[in-house]
């Protein structure tokens, strides 16, 4: 029992918050996504695809509008019309790979991107424009705009040998993007993002604009980023938040779920697995999954259900601590061997975070199975990992400060609903693992149920744990 702490809370206390009444389903109206290759979809279908699934799962009213369709790379494209749970994904947006904010603001009309189009053309505000890239106004007037723009402006146009550069270069990029602020904190209103926002409000004074921070990419040899570069980008994102508050624009800090807190050598750098190996700039499918959850929360949407009913963990069979590990008791209803679906839930805090330095070793092993198929999850001080080999990072954060439920469910496939079979993992309401592979446990003699085993003598708190037959999404 060295340095291991176990605390149980009553089911009523644990489930008190998750049974709170859900807010009304949001109506986003015409929603337009504006940005560069991260929104367009470079090596993935972009965060817009998992966000579409969140909307559908929760009955959100929306119509995606935009001046273009599809993804940058046909290999990774989700074809327009592909359904999820019967609702087609039209893959409409107003984003283009390599796009700059000054182009969307109409600073350069002959850039060659988007057919020489810009926000004024899209919205029908340029009487001389006759190109193909425009919205069908007023029917497609944007009601909600989600915008992620600025990576190419900072990383490319003001960079040093491919890196963003710190100091003067970032100050120049910031002035171009959001203008400047005086000593009293009053912004000049002269930036490219000011021009874009003002144009949107000309056609719809009530438009809701949500802007995403620039993702802090990982370091890679060919982009020469230094700790000063990451600090400069975080300084820009902080200024962006201040500018947005003055402009009455909502901000989503995507770096909250992308940054690896354990990278003390380069504070603020993102988790390597959330970005593609080739450039460390474009998010992977996992990165997109995390970004989508952050955007959804900002828009007032609960998390993905994967088409499953929501159910509180207080309705699951509670766990008991026996012989050094938490195991389900024989008296409780458990998944039968070979059961099609099953769910486990727990709350945990591990380690002491940065206090004594980050410990990369797993503190808790979570095993969930039906005697034939088993999923294995590991929790460290700074991450949630999947797989027996602990080789897939699902989430990166200070797990010593965490109080949200971790839920793992084995879900049977449903082609009509667009659901792939495998293990699904939630952290609170956020889906952080989708259709993850398990391992064949028949030969290993794994018993059905949920087993929690503390590891490596790292302090672990387990307020509650439970297991259930059937697959369920977290309750609201």
């Amino acid at each position: 029992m060295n340095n291991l702490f176990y605390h149980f809370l009553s089911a009523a206390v644990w489930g008190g918050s998750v049974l709170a009444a859900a807010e009304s389903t949001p109506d986003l109206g015409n929603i337009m996504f504006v940005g560069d290759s991260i929104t367009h979809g470079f090596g993935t279908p972009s965060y817009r695809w998992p966000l579409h699934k969140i909307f559908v799962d929760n009955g959100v009213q929306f119509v995606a509008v935009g001046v273009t369709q599809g993804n940058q790379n046909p290999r990774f494209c989700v074809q327009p019309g592909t359904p999820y749970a019967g609702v087609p994904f039209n893959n409409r947006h107003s984003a283009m790979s390599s796009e700059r904010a000054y182009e969307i603001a109409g600073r350069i009309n002959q850039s060659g991107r988007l057919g020489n189009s810009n926000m004024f053309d899209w919205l029908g505000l340029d009487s001389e424009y006759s190109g193909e890239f425009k919205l069908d106004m007023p029917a497609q007037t944007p009601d909600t705009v989600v915008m992620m723009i600025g990576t190419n402006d900072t990383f490319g146009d003001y960079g040093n040998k491919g890196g963003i550069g710190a100091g003067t270069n970032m100050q120049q990029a910031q002035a171009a993007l959001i203008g400047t602020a005086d000593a009293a904190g009053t912004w000049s209103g002269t930036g490219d993002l000011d021009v874009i926002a003002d144009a949107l409000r000309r056609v719809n004074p009530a438009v809701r604009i949500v802007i995403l921070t620039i993702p802090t990419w990982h370091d890679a040899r060919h982009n020469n980023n230094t700790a000063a570069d990451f600090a400069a980008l975080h300084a820009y994102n902080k200024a962006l938040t201040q500018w947005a508050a003055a402009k009455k624009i909502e901000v989503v800090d995507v770096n909250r779920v992308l940054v690896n807190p354990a990278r003390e050598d380069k504070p603020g750098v993102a988790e390597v697995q959330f970005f593609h190996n080739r450039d460390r700039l474009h998010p992977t499918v996992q990165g997109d999954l995390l970004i989508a959850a952050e955007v959804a929360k900002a828009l007032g949407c609960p998390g993905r259900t994967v088409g499953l009913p929501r159910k509180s963990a207080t309705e699951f069979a509670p766990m008991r601590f026996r012989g050094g590990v938490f195991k389900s008791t024989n008296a409780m209803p458990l998944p039968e061997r070979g059961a099609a679906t099953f769910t486990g839930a727990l709350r945990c805090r591990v380690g002491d975070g940065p206090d004594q330095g980050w410990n990369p070793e797993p503190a808790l092993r979570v095993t969930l199975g039906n005697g034939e198929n088993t999923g294995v999850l590991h929790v460290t001080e700074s991450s949630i990992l999947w797989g027996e080999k602990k080789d897939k990072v699902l989430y990166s954060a200070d797990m010593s400060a965490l109080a949200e439920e971790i839920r793992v469910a084995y879900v049977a496939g449903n082609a009509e609903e667009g659901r792939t079979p495998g293990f699904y993992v939630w952290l609170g309401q956020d889906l952080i693992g989708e259709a993850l592979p398990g391992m064949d446990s028949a030969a290993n003699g794994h018993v059905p149920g949920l087993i929690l085993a503390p590891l490596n003598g790292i302090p672990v708190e387990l307020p509650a744990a439970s297991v259930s037959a059937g697959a369920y999404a977290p309750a609201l």
Side-chain angles (χ1 to χ4, degrees), residues 384-414:
I384 298 177
L385 312 173
W386 182 260
E388 181 71 19
K389 297 180 180 179
K390 308 176 286 293
D391 53 357
K392 182 175 178 61
V393 181
L394 301 182
Y395 191 81
S396 188
D398 183 355
M399 302 303 292
S400 71
L402 202 62
E404 293 184 290
E405 175 192 292
I406 298 174
R407 180 171 295 204
V408 183
Y410 183 77
V411 177
N414 186 319

PDB file of all heavy atoms in Angstrom, residues 384-414:
ATOM      1  N   ILE A 384      -3.294  10.382 -20.718  1.00  0.00           N
ATOM      2  CA  ILE A 384      -4.089   9.163 -20.782  1.00  0.00           C
ATOM      3  C   ILE A 384      -3.639   8.429 -22.033  1.00  0.00           C
ATOM      4  O   ILE A 384      -3.663   8.991 -23.136  1.00  0.00           O
ATOM      5  CB  ILE A 384      -5.593   9.469 -20.848  1.00  0.00           C
ATOM      6  CG1 ILE A 384      -6.045  10.210 -19.587  1.00  0.00           C
ATOM      7  CG2 ILE A 384      -6.397   8.187 -21.011  1.00  0.00           C
ATOM      8  CD1 ILE A 384      -7.507  10.625 -19.605  1.00  0.00           C
ATOM      9  N   LEU A 385      -3.212   7.174 -21.868  1.00  0.00           N
ATOM     10  CA  LEU A 385      -2.635   6.394 -22.955  1.00  0.00           C
ATOM     11  C   LEU A 385      -3.513   5.186 -23.239  1.00  0.00           C
ATOM     12  O   LEU A 385      -4.165   4.654 -22.341  1.00  0.00           O
ATOM     13  CB  LEU A 385      -1.227   5.927 -22.596  1.00  0.00           C
ATOM     14  CG  LEU A 385      -0.270   6.979 -22.028  1.00  0.00           C
ATOM     15  CD1 LEU A 385       1.024   6.325 -21.567  1.00  0.00           C
ATOM     16  CD2 LEU A 385       0.024   8.045 -23.063  1.00  0.00           C
ATOM     17  N   TRP A 386      -3.486   4.716 -24.490  1.00  0.00           N
ATOM     18  CA  TRP A 386      -4.272   3.545 -24.854  1.00  0.00           C
ATOM     19  C   TRP A 386      -3.360   2.423 -25.318  1.00  0.00           C
ATOM     20  O   TRP A 386      -2.362   2.663 -25.996  1.00  0.00           O
ATOM     21  CB  TRP A 386      -5.272   3.875 -25.958  1.00  0.00           C
ATOM     22  CG  TRP A 386      -6.122   2.692 -26.323  1.00  0.00           C
ATOM     23  CD1 TRP A 386      -5.976   1.857 -27.389  1.00  0.00           C
ATOM     24  CD2 TRP A 386      -7.238   2.201 -25.586  1.00  0.00           C
ATOM     25  NE1 TRP A 386      -6.929   0.871 -27.363  1.00  0.00           N
ATOM     26  CE2 TRP A 386      -7.723   1.056 -26.259  1.00  0.00           C
ATOM     27  CE3 TRP A 386      -7.877   2.617 -24.415  1.00  0.00           C
ATOM     28  CZ2 TRP A 386      -8.815   0.335 -25.805  1.00  0.00           C
ATOM     29  CZ3 TRP A 386      -8.958   1.886 -23.957  1.00  0.00           C
ATOM     30  CH2 TRP A 386      -9.425   0.760 -24.654  1.00  0.00           C
ATOM     31  N   GLY A 387      -3.765   1.200 -24.985  1.00  0.00           N
ATOM     32  CA  GLY A 387      -3.100   0.021 -25.516  1.00  0.00           C
ATOM     33  C   GLY A 387      -2.164  -0.639 -24.535  1.00  0.00           C
ATOM     34  O   GLY A 387      -1.611  -0.004 -23.632  1.00  0.00           O
ATOM     35  N   GLU A 388      -1.979  -1.925 -24.732  1.00  0.00           N
ATOM     36  CA  GLU A 388      -1.072  -2.699 -23.887  1.00  0.00           C
ATOM     37  C   GLU A 388       0.332  -2.118 -23.900  1.00  0.00           C
ATOM     38  O   GLU A 388       1.037  -2.110 -22.894  1.00  0.00           O
ATOM     39  CB  GLU A 388      -1.069  -4.156 -24.375  1.00  0.00           C
ATOM     40  CG  GLU A 388      -0.193  -5.092 -23.566  1.00  0.00           C
ATOM     41  CD  GLU A 388      -0.746  -5.385 -22.188  1.00  0.00           C
ATOM     42  OE1 GLU A 388      -1.960  -5.175 -21.965  1.00  0.00           O
ATOM     43  OE2 GLU A 388       0.027  -5.846 -21.334  1.00  0.00           O
ATOM     44  N   LYS A 389       0.746  -1.605 -25.056  1.00  0.00           N
ATOM     45  CA  LYS A 389       2.092  -1.040 -25.186  1.00  0.00           C
ATOM     46  C   LYS A 389       2.163   0.440 -24.802  1.00  0.00           C
ATOM     47  O   LYS A 389       3.222   1.057 -24.899  1.00  0.00           O
ATOM     48  CB  LYS A 389       2.592  -1.219 -26.622  1.00  0.00           C
ATOM     49  CG  LYS A 389       2.743  -2.678 -27.029  1.00  0.00           C
ATOM     50  CD  LYS A 389       3.256  -2.777 -28.468  1.00  0.00           C
ATOM     51  CE  LYS A 389       3.422  -4.227 -28.897  1.00  0.00           C
ATOM     52  NZ  LYS A 389       3.893  -4.332 -30.306  1.00  0.00           N
ATOM     53  N   LYS A 390       1.018   1.012 -24.412  1.00  0.00           N
ATOM     54  CA  LYS A 390       0.965   2.423 -23.992  1.00  0.00           C
ATOM     55  C   LYS A 390       1.510   3.338 -25.091  1.00  0.00           C
ATOM     56  O   LYS A 390       2.221   4.301 -24.823  1.00  0.00           O
ATOM     57  CB  LYS A 390       1.755   2.628 -22.693  1.00  0.00           C
ATOM     58  CG  LYS A 390       1.372   1.677 -21.566  1.00  0.00           C
ATOM     59  CD  LYS A 390       2.245   1.844 -20.350  1.00  0.00           C
ATOM     60  CE  LYS A 390       3.628   1.262 -20.535  1.00  0.00           C
ATOM     61  NZ  LYS A 390       3.618  -0.201 -20.667  1.00  0.00           N
ATOM     62  N   ASP A 391       1.153   3.049 -26.352  1.00  0.00           N
ATOM     63  CA  ASP A 391       1.783   3.753 -27.456  1.00  0.00           C
ATOM     64  C   ASP A 391       0.873   4.759 -28.156  1.00  0.00           C
ATOM     65  O   ASP A 391       1.272   5.367 -29.143  1.00  0.00           O
ATOM     66  CB  ASP A 391       2.307   2.754 -28.489  1.00  0.00           C
ATOM     67  CG  ASP A 391       1.242   1.762 -28.960  1.00  0.00           C
ATOM     68  OD1 ASP A 391       0.105   1.824 -28.439  1.00  0.00           O
ATOM     69  OD2 ASP A 391       1.554   0.944 -29.831  1.00  0.00           O
ATOM     70  N   LYS A 392      -0.349   4.963 -27.662  1.00  0.00           N
ATOM     71  CA  LYS A 392      -1.231   5.965 -28.259  1.00  0.00           C
ATOM     72  C   LYS A 392      -1.679   6.954 -27.192  1.00  0.00           C
ATOM     73  O   LYS A 392      -2.310   6.567 -26.205  1.00  0.00           O
ATOM     74  CB  LYS A 392      -2.454   5.317 -28.910  1.00  0.00           C
ATOM     75  CG  LYS A 392      -3.379   6.327 -29.593  1.00  0.00           C
ATOM     76  CD  LYS A 392      -4.508   5.630 -30.334  1.00  0.00           C
ATOM     77  CE  LYS A 392      -5.458   6.645 -30.978  1.00  0.00           C
ATOM     78  NZ  LYS A 392      -4.790   7.516 -31.977  1.00  0.00           N
ATOM     79  N   VAL A 393      -1.339   8.229 -27.393  1.00  0.00           N
ATOM     80  CA  VAL A 393      -1.738   9.277 -26.456  1.00  0.00           C
ATOM     81  C   VAL A 393      -3.133   9.760 -26.830  1.00  0.00           C
ATOM     82  O   VAL A 393      -3.359  10.222 -27.953  1.00  0.00           O
ATOM     83  CB  VAL A 393      -0.749  10.455 -26.477  1.00  0.00           C
ATOM     84  CG1 VAL A 393      -1.176  11.517 -25.468  1.00  0.00           C
ATOM     85  CG2 VAL A 393       0.666   9.981 -26.183  1.00  0.00           C
ATOM     86  N   LEU A 394      -4.060   9.658 -25.891  1.00  0.00           N
ATOM     87  CA  LEU A 394      -5.408  10.146 -26.117  1.00  0.00           C
ATOM     88  C   LEU A 394      -5.588  11.566 -25.616  1.00  0.00           C
ATOM     89  O   LEU A 394      -6.354  12.345 -26.189  1.00  0.00           O
ATOM     90  CB  LEU A 394      -6.434   9.244 -25.418  1.00  0.00           C
ATOM     91  CG  LEU A 394      -6.452   7.773 -25.817  1.00  0.00           C
ATOM     92  CD1 LEU A 394      -7.556   7.052 -25.052  1.00  0.00           C
ATOM     93  CD2 LEU A 394      -6.642   7.608 -27.317  1.00  0.00           C
ATOM     94  N   TYR A 395      -4.895  11.899 -24.538  1.00  0.00           N
ATOM     95  CA  TYR A 395      -5.131  13.183 -23.877  1.00  0.00           C
ATOM     96  C   TYR A 395      -3.890  13.544 -23.081  1.00  0.00           C
ATOM     97  O   TYR A 395      -3.206  12.669 -22.550  1.00  0.00           O
ATOM     98  CB  TYR A 395      -6.340  13.069 -22.942  1.00  0.00           C
ATOM     99  CG  TYR A 395      -6.864  14.369 -22.397  1.00  0.00           C
ATOM    100  CD1 TYR A 395      -7.714  15.166 -23.155  1.00  0.00           C
ATOM    101  CD2 TYR A 395      -6.524  14.791 -21.125  1.00  0.00           C
ATOM    102  CE1 TYR A 395      -8.214  16.359 -22.648  1.00  0.00           C
ATOM    103  CE2 TYR A 395      -7.028  15.980 -20.607  1.00  0.00           C
ATOM    104  CZ  TYR A 395      -7.872  16.768 -21.371  1.00  0.00           C
ATOM    105  OH  TYR A 395      -8.359  17.939 -20.867  1.00  0.00           O
ATOM    106  N   SER A 396      -3.592  14.832 -23.024  1.00  0.00           N
ATOM    107  CA  SER A 396      -2.417  15.288 -22.285  1.00  0.00           C
ATOM    108  C   SER A 396      -2.811  16.450 -21.385  1.00  0.00           C
ATOM    109  O   SER A 396      -3.269  17.490 -21.872  1.00  0.00           O
ATOM    110  CB  SER A 396      -1.311  15.717 -23.266  1.00  0.00           C
ATOM    111  OG  SER A 396      -0.115  15.989 -22.595  1.00  0.00           O
ATOM    112  N   ALA A 397      -2.654  16.263 -20.080  1.00  0.00           N
ATOM    113  CA  ALA A 397      -3.007  17.294 -19.102  1.00  0.00           C
ATOM    114  C   ALA A 397      -2.466  16.880 -17.746  1.00  0.00           C
ATOM    115  O   ALA A 397      -1.967  15.767 -17.577  1.00  0.00           O
ATOM    116  CB  ALA A 397      -4.520  17.497 -19.037  1.00  0.00           C
ATOM    117  N   ASP A 398      -2.579  17.765 -16.779  1.00  0.00           N
ATOM    118  CA  ASP A 398      -2.155  17.457 -15.420  1.00  0.00           C
ATOM    119  C   ASP A 398      -3.203  16.561 -14.777  1.00  0.00           C
ATOM    120  O   ASP A 398      -4.264  17.017 -14.352  1.00  0.00           O
ATOM    121  CB  ASP A 398      -1.994  18.755 -14.621  1.00  0.00           C
ATOM    122  CG  ASP A 398      -1.480  18.506 -13.203  1.00  0.00           C
ATOM    123  OD1 ASP A 398      -1.338  17.333 -12.814  1.00  0.00           O
ATOM    124  OD2 ASP A 398      -1.220  19.500 -12.493  1.00  0.00           O
ATOM    125  N   MET A 399      -2.919  15.271 -14.719  1.00  0.00           N
ATOM    126  CA  MET A 399      -3.896  14.323 -14.216  1.00  0.00           C
ATOM    127  C   MET A 399      -3.973  14.325 -12.687  1.00  0.00           C
ATOM    128  O   MET A 399      -4.861  13.717 -12.111  1.00  0.00           O
ATOM    129  CB  MET A 399      -3.564  12.915 -14.710  1.00  0.00           C
ATOM    130  CG  MET A 399      -3.504  12.787 -16.233  1.00  0.00           C
ATOM    131  SD  MET A 399      -5.034  13.286 -17.064  1.00  0.00           S
ATOM    132  CE  MET A 399      -6.140  11.982 -16.530  1.00  0.00           C
ATOM    133  N   SER A 400      -3.049  15.014 -12.037  1.00  0.00           N
ATOM    134  CA  SER A 400      -3.128  15.111 -10.577  1.00  0.00           C
ATOM    135  C   SER A 400      -4.196  16.106 -10.159  1.00  0.00           C
ATOM    136  O   SER A 400      -4.605  16.136  -8.997  1.00  0.00           O
ATOM    137  CB  SER A 400      -1.772  15.533  -9.999  1.00  0.00           C
ATOM    138  OG  SER A 400      -1.480  16.887 -10.312  1.00  0.00           O
ATOM    139  N   ALA A 401      -4.650  16.948 -11.107  1.00  0.00           N
ATOM    140  CA  ALA A 401      -5.661  17.956 -10.797  1.00  0.00           C
ATOM    141  C   ALA A 401      -7.011  17.598 -11.396  1.00  0.00           C
ATOM    142  O   ALA A 401      -7.918  18.419 -11.420  1.00  0.00           O
ATOM    143  CB  ALA A 401      -5.204  19.318 -11.325  1.00  0.00           C
ATOM    144  N   LEU A 402      -7.155  16.392 -11.878  1.00  0.00           N
ATOM    145  CA  LEU A 402      -8.333  16.006 -12.633  1.00  0.00           C
ATOM    146  C   LEU A 402      -9.404  15.403 -11.726  1.00  0.00           C
ATOM    147  O   LEU A 402      -9.107  14.655 -10.818  1.00  0.00           O
ATOM    148  CB  LEU A 402      -7.947  14.979 -13.692  1.00  0.00           C
ATOM    149  CG  LEU A 402      -8.881  14.847 -14.883  1.00  0.00           C
ATOM    150  CD1 LEU A 402      -8.959  16.142 -15.663  1.00  0.00           C
ATOM    151  CD2 LEU A 402      -8.388  13.729 -15.776  1.00  0.00           C
ATOM    152  N   ALA A 403     -10.647  15.746 -12.000  1.00  0.00           N
ATOM    153  CA  ALA A 403     -11.750  15.174 -11.238  1.00  0.00           C
ATOM    154  C   ALA A 403     -12.848  14.642 -12.140  1.00  0.00           C
ATOM    155  O   ALA A 403     -13.858  14.145 -11.660  1.00  0.00           O
ATOM    156  CB  ALA A 403     -12.329  16.226 -10.297  1.00  0.00           C
ATOM    157  N   GLU A 404     -12.680  14.723 -13.452  1.00  0.00           N
ATOM    158  CA  GLU A 404     -13.720  14.279 -14.371  1.00  0.00           C
ATOM    159  C   GLU A 404     -13.721  12.753 -14.512  1.00  0.00           C
ATOM    160  O   GLU A 404     -12.689  12.102 -14.347  1.00  0.00           O
ATOM    161  CB  GLU A 404     -13.534  14.921 -15.743  1.00  0.00           C
ATOM    162  CG  GLU A 404     -13.766  16.415 -15.750  1.00  0.00           C
ATOM    163  CD  GLU A 404     -13.656  16.994 -17.152  1.00  0.00           C
ATOM    164  OE1 GLU A 404     -12.534  17.032 -17.676  1.00  0.00           O
ATOM    165  OE2 GLU A 404     -14.688  17.391 -17.707  1.00  0.00           O
ATOM    166  N   GLU A 405     -14.874  12.238 -14.851  1.00  0.00           N
ATOM    167  CA  GLU A 405     -15.008  10.803 -15.036  1.00  0.00           C
ATOM    168  C   GLU A 405     -14.299  10.351 -16.311  1.00  0.00           C
ATOM    169  O   GLU A 405     -14.375  11.005 -17.347  1.00  0.00           O
ATOM    170  CB  GLU A 405     -16.489  10.444 -15.140  1.00  0.00           C
ATOM    171  CG  GLU A 405     -16.755   8.978 -15.461  1.00  0.00           C
ATOM    172  CD  GLU A 405     -18.196   8.724 -15.834  1.00  0.00           C
ATOM    173  OE1 GLU A 405     -19.062   8.860 -14.948  1.00  0.00           O
ATOM    174  OE2 GLU A 405     -18.466   8.418 -17.015  1.00  0.00           O
ATOM    175  N   ILE A 406     -13.597   9.231 -16.223  1.00  0.00           N
ATOM    176  CA  ILE A 406     -13.077   8.536 -17.393  1.00  0.00           C
ATOM    177  C   ILE A 406     -14.016   7.369 -17.657  1.00  0.00           C
ATOM    178  O   ILE A 406     -14.268   6.550 -16.774  1.00  0.00           O
ATOM    179  CB  ILE A 406     -11.646   8.022 -17.173  1.00  0.00           C
ATOM    180  CG1 ILE A 406     -10.683   9.184 -16.926  1.00  0.00           C
ATOM    181  CG2 ILE A 406     -11.183   7.203 -18.369  1.00  0.00           C
ATOM    182  CD1 ILE A 406      -9.275   8.737 -16.560  1.00  0.00           C
ATOM    183  N   ARG A 407     -14.562   7.316 -18.874  1.00  0.00           N
ATOM    184  CA  ARG A 407     -15.482   6.237 -19.224  1.00  0.00           C
ATOM    185  C   ARG A 407     -14.950   5.499 -20.441  1.00  0.00           C
ATOM    186  O   ARG A 407     -14.535   6.122 -21.424  1.00  0.00           O
ATOM    187  CB  ARG A 407     -16.874   6.786 -19.511  1.00  0.00           C
ATOM    188  CG  ARG A 407     -17.884   5.704 -19.890  1.00  0.00           C
ATOM    189  CD  ARG A 407     -19.288   6.236 -19.962  1.00  0.00           C
ATOM    190  NE  ARG A 407     -19.765   6.677 -18.653  1.00  0.00           N
ATOM    191  CZ  ARG A 407     -21.048   6.759 -18.306  1.00  0.00           C
ATOM    192  NH1 ARG A 407     -21.989   6.397 -19.166  1.00  0.00           N
ATOM    193  NH2 ARG A 407     -21.398   7.195 -17.113  1.00  0.00           N
ATOM    194  N   VAL A 408     -14.942   4.181 -20.371  1.00  0.00           N
ATOM    195  CA  VAL A 408     -14.514   3.329 -21.477  1.00  0.00           C
ATOM    196  C   VAL A 408     -15.664   2.388 -21.811  1.00  0.00           C
ATOM    197  O   VAL A 408     -16.196   1.710 -20.925  1.00  0.00           O
ATOM    198  CB  VAL A 408     -13.259   2.506 -21.110  1.00  0.00           C
ATOM    199  CG1 VAL A 408     -12.800   1.694 -22.313  1.00  0.00           C
ATOM    200  CG2 VAL A 408     -12.138   3.419 -20.615  1.00  0.00           C
ATOM    201  N   ALA A 409     -16.055   2.352 -23.082  1.00  0.00           N
ATOM    202  CA  ALA A 409     -17.146   1.487 -23.501  1.00  0.00           C
ATOM    203  C   ALA A 409     -16.735   0.699 -24.737  1.00  0.00           C
ATOM    204  O   ALA A 409     -16.105   1.255 -25.643  1.00  0.00           O
ATOM    205  CB  ALA A 409     -18.404   2.293 -23.800  1.00  0.00           C
ATOM    206  N   TYR A 410     -17.063  -0.569 -24.752  1.00  0.00           N
ATOM    207  CA  TYR A 410     -16.895  -1.340 -25.978  1.00  0.00           C
ATOM    208  C   TYR A 410     -18.206  -1.262 -26.746  1.00  0.00           C
ATOM    209  O   TYR A 410     -19.273  -1.611 -26.239  1.00  0.00           O
ATOM    210  CB  TYR A 410     -16.552  -2.805 -25.699  1.00  0.00           C
ATOM    211  CG  TYR A 410     -16.304  -3.552 -26.990  1.00  0.00           C
ATOM    212  CD1 TYR A 410     -15.106  -3.410 -27.669  1.00  0.00           C
ATOM    213  CD2 TYR A 410     -17.292  -4.359 -27.548  1.00  0.00           C
ATOM    214  CE1 TYR A 410     -14.878  -4.064 -28.870  1.00  0.00           C
ATOM    215  CE2 TYR A 410     -17.077  -5.014 -28.749  1.00  0.00           C
ATOM    216  CZ  TYR A 410     -15.869  -4.858 -29.405  1.00  0.00           C
ATOM    217  OH  TYR A 410     -15.653  -5.480 -30.606  1.00  0.00           O
ATOM    218  N   VAL A 411     -18.121  -0.787 -27.993  1.00  0.00           N
ATOM    219  CA  VAL A 411     -19.303  -0.480 -28.792  1.00  0.00           C
ATOM    220  C   VAL A 411     -19.345  -1.385 -30.015  1.00  0.00           C
ATOM    221  O   VAL A 411     -18.344  -1.522 -30.730  1.00  0.00           O
ATOM    222  CB  VAL A 411     -19.286   1.001 -29.225  1.00  0.00           C
ATOM    223  CG1 VAL A 411     -20.482   1.317 -30.114  1.00  0.00           C
ATOM    224  CG2 VAL A 411     -19.272   1.906 -27.997  1.00  0.00           C
ATOM    225  N   ALA A 412     -20.478  -1.998 -30.243  1.00  0.00           N
ATOM    226  CA  ALA A 412     -20.654  -2.807 -31.446  1.00  0.00           C
ATOM    227  C   ALA A 412     -20.831  -1.894 -32.649  1.00  0.00           C
ATOM    228  O   ALA A 412     -21.366  -0.794 -32.543  1.00  0.00           O
ATOM    229  CB  ALA A 412     -21.863  -3.724 -31.286  1.00  0.00           C
ATOM    230  N   GLY A 413     -20.383  -2.325 -33.793  1.00  0.00           N
ATOM    231  CA  GLY A 413     -20.472  -1.502 -34.987  1.00  0.00           C
ATOM    232  C   GLY A 413     -21.894  -1.396 -35.513  1.00  0.00           C
ATOM    233  O   GLY A 413     -22.733  -2.273 -35.291  1.00  0.00           O
ATOM    234  N   ASN A 414     -22.144  -0.292 -36.203  1.00  0.00           N
ATOM    235  CA  ASN A 414     -23.432  -0.071 -36.835  1.00  0.00           C
ATOM    236  C   ASN A 414     -23.181   0.761 -38.081  1.00  0.00           C
ATOM    237  O   ASN A 414     -23.036   1.982 -38.002  1.00  0.00           O
ATOM    238  CB  ASN A 414     -24.407   0.625 -35.891  1.00  0.00           C
ATOM    239  CG  ASN A 414     -25.811   0.732 -36.466  1.00  0.00           C
ATOM    240  OD1 ASN A 414     -25.994   1.007 -37.643  1.00  0.00           O
ATOM    241  ND2 ASN A 414     -26.813   0.532 -35.616  1.00  0.00           N
TER     242      ASN A 414
END
